């Protein structure tokens, strides 16, 4: 039985279009969101695939102008990159942003757009619901320039979320920024964008989507709206993730469905998997999806042992995968560990360069991460230390 909560909030203002041959309509569609002079944000790898040229042609085809292209987003973007991107967009006389890339590119475009619109530094945007508002900060949040996203991985879901996570290189932490204006106005999902995605990246980003769907479903900040999305995301992931990773280029249907599944899975109501993965990324450069894949089974086992209400939430998830054993925590964890191994991903932190001596700093990072507060089981330093040790 689903209880009626004292409070929940659900917002999804992003217009999503999904289908085939959509890149050529980029300008036609983005014009409807107020864009005229579009600043394209991407990375060198994506640019080398020719995808950006096709998007640029699509922008011009709709009668819009490409004001400039910023292709200097690294795999793990940071505050200084966002600031350089914002300055380049200003210099180019842009009035809108279009991100073509994975999570790092999309999050960079979001934060760059906020800096472009409001000025100041990227780190000033940090926090949940702290962006500038009317009425001395109490009223309507101030809009930022129109932003459209063309995701080139199926995982992060940033194209329909109000969150951005970027590194602060000085403090060695991942800054989390979330507020309504960061919802992109438009997301374009076209399986052509993931046609040449390497299998290890398809696997890792796919596991990020799995993690969003599961953490969102069990989070203390769950909502019935997100539940519906999470469960459908998991069904689509169950049916398409392995196909998309193993058959890649030959399986347009699986790639298209994974783009939609990632879209459905995303929420800012996450939990301890993300709390553990953010410091692993900030301190040891572990790719986000890989870190989630490593931590997810351990957190599930820990959380599910925290009471029957939590275990029941995991049972709903187990039903999707036909995992119905009475001890749902270990059973679901074992199922996912096998899936992760089949996808060819690492399953231990020691395989991805995390030493045992790094655990105290990781624990500190996880305790300070905002998502810790949303985990269904209350977490302490000892809990995190034990989980990191188990994942080592
Ligand atoms: Fe994530």
């Amino acid at each position: 039985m689903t209880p009626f909560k004292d409070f929940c909030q659900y917002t999804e203002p992003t217009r999503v279009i999904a289908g085939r041959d959509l890149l050529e309509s980029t300008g036609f569609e983005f014009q409807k969101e107020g864009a005229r002079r579009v600043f394209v944000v991407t990375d060198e790898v994506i640019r080398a695939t020719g995808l950006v040229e096709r998007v640029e042609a699509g922008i011009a085809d709709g009668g819009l102008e490409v004001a400039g292209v910023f292709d200097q987003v690294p795999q793990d973007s940071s505050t200084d990159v966002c600031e350089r991107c914002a300055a380049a967009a200003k210099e180019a006389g842009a009035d809108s942003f279009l991100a073509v890339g994975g999570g790092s590119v999309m999050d960079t475009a979001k934060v760059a757009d906020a800096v472009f619109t409001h000025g100041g530094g990227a780190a000033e945007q940090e926090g949940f619901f702290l962006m500038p508002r009317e009425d001395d900060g109490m009223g309507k949040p101030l809009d930022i320039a129109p932003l459209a996203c063309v995701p080139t991985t199926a995982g992060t879901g940033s194209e329909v979320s109000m969150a951005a996570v970027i590194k602060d290189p000085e403090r060695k932490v991942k800054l989390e920024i979330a507020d309504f204006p960061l919802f992109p106005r438009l997301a374009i999902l076209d399986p052509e964008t993931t046609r040449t995605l390497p299998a290890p990246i398809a696997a890792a980003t796919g596991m990020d989507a799995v993690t969003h769907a599961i953490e969102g479903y069990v989070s203390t900040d769950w909502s019935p709206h997100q539940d519906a999305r999470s469960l459908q995301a998991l069904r689509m992931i169950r049916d398409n993730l392995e196909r998309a990773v193993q058959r890649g280029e030959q399986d347009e249907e699986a790639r298209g469905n994974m783009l939609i599944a990632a879209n459905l899975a995303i929420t800012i109501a996450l939990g301890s998997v993300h709390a553990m993965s953010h410091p692993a990324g900030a301190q040891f450069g572990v790719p986000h999806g890989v870190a989630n894949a490593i931590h997810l089974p351990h957190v599930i086992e820990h959380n599910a042992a925290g009471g029957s209400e939590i275990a029941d939430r995991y049972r709903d998830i187990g039903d999707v995968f036909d995992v119905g054993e009475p001890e749902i925590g270990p059973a679901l964890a074992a199922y996912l560990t096998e899936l992760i191994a089949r996808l060819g991903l690492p399953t231990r932190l020691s395989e991805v360069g995390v030493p045992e001596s790094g655990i105290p700093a990781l624990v500190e990072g996880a305790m300070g991460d905002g998502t810790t507060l949303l985990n269904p089981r209350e977490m302490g330093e000892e809990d995190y230390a034990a989980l990191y040790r188990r994942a080592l």
Side-chain angles (χ1 to χ4, degrees), residues 3-11 220-226:
F4 181 71
K5 294 188 87 176
D6 290 336
F7 176 81
C8 65
Q9 175 168 249
Y10 175 78
T11 320
T220 56
D221 204 22
W222 64 272
S223 73
H225 306 75
Q226 187 62 35

Side-chain angles (χ1 to χ4, degrees), residues 155-157 165 205 207-209 211-212 215 266-267 270 274 277-278 288-289 292:
T156 134
V165 182
T205 49
M207 282 309 300
D208 190 22
T211 308
H212 295 155
E215 290 217 282
I266 189 62
T267 168
L270 296 167
H274 274 76
S277 295
H278 288 151
H288 180 66
N292 282 338

Side-chain angles (χ1 to χ4, degrees), residues 24-335:
E24 58 205 51
S25 314
T26 303
F28 173 80
E29 296 290 354
F30 201 17
Q31 188 171 22
K32 299 181 199 314
E33 307 302 331
R36 295 291 178 275
R37 282 182 57 79
V38 181
F39 194 70
V40 178
V41 183
T42 187
D43 63 34
E44 285 175 330
V45 177
I46 295 297
R47 203 170 189 185
T49 64
L51 216 48
V52 175
E53 276 168 36
R54 293 182 58 184
V55 170
E56 284 184 67
I59 292 170
D61 212 43
L64 277 62
E65 281 177 72
V66 177
V69 179
F70 182 88
D71 66 2
Q72 296 300 305
V73 181
Q75 195 204 329
D76 203 4
S77 191
S78 57
T79 46
D80 51 313
V81 176
C82 296
E83 286 160 14
R84 272 193 281 128
C85 180
K90 267 268 186 287
E91 177 81 31
D95 65 7
S96 49
F97 285 77
L98 190 144
V100 185
S104 185
V105 166
M106 292 190 278
D107 287 2
T108 298
K110 286 178 179 177
V111 179
D113 190 340
V115 171
F116 170 90
T117 306
H118 297 310
E124 287 168 44
Q125 310 293 330
E126 186 181 4
F128 281 60
F129 306 111
L130 294 177
M131 287 179 69
R133 281 168 159 69
E134 293 173 356
D135 305 330
D136 293 329
M138 296 305 289
K140 183 179 182 295
L142 304 181
D143 281 340
I144 60 173
L147 166 66
C149 289
V150 180
T152 60
T153 59
T156 134
S158 184
E159 69 279 1
V160 290
S161 98
M162 63 159 112
V165 182
I166 49 162
K167 203 161 62 175
D168 182 333
E170 275 166 37
R171 288 160 53 201
K172 276 202 160 188
V173 291
K174 294 246 180 164
L175 299 183
E176 287 161 61
I177 304 163
D179 205 343
F180 301 113
L182 293 185
F183 276 115
R185 309 264 178 98
L186 172 67
I188 301 175
L189 312 182
D190 181 337
E192 181 58 22
T193 62
T194 56
R195 190 168 53 77
T196 59
L197 188 66
I201 299 179
T205 49
M207 282 309 300
D208 190 22
V210 172
T211 308
H212 295 155
I214 294 178
E215 290 217 282
Y217 195 85
V218 301
S219 169
T220 56
D221 204 22
W222 64 272
S223 73
H225 306 75
Q226 187 62 35
D227 284 359
R229 289 176 53 148
S230 286
L231 293 178
Q232 177 62 7
L234 289 169
R235 287 183 205 109
M236 294 181 78
I237 288 166
R238 174 196 65 200
D239 297 339
N240 295 282
L241 174 57
E242 284 183 85
R243 271 172 60 188
V245 170
Q246 281 149 15
R247 293 165 45 82
E249 194 158 359
Q250 303 132 47
D251 202 331
E252 185 191 59
E253 183 178 88
R255 285 186 284 107
N257 281 335
M258 276 307 297
L259 281 168
I260 294 176
N263 211 237
L264 289 168
I266 189 62
T267 168
I268 58 165
L270 296 167
S272 287
V273 182
H274 274 76
M276 293 175 73
S277 295
H278 288 151
Q283 294 172 30
F284 296 101
V286 185
H288 180 66
V290 172
N292 282 338
I294 292 171
H295 296 136
L296 179 64
H298 300 288
V299 172
I300 288 175
E301 243 188 288
H302 178 81
N303 283 348
S308 60
E309 274 179 35
I310 304 174
D312 284 345
R313 300 288 285 174
Y314 284 111
R315 232 175 276 288
D316 294 343
I317 292 163
D319 287 347
V320 174
F321 296 110
D322 217 10
V323 173
E325 275 95 307
E327 286 294 319
I328 187 66
L332 187 57
Y335 172 85

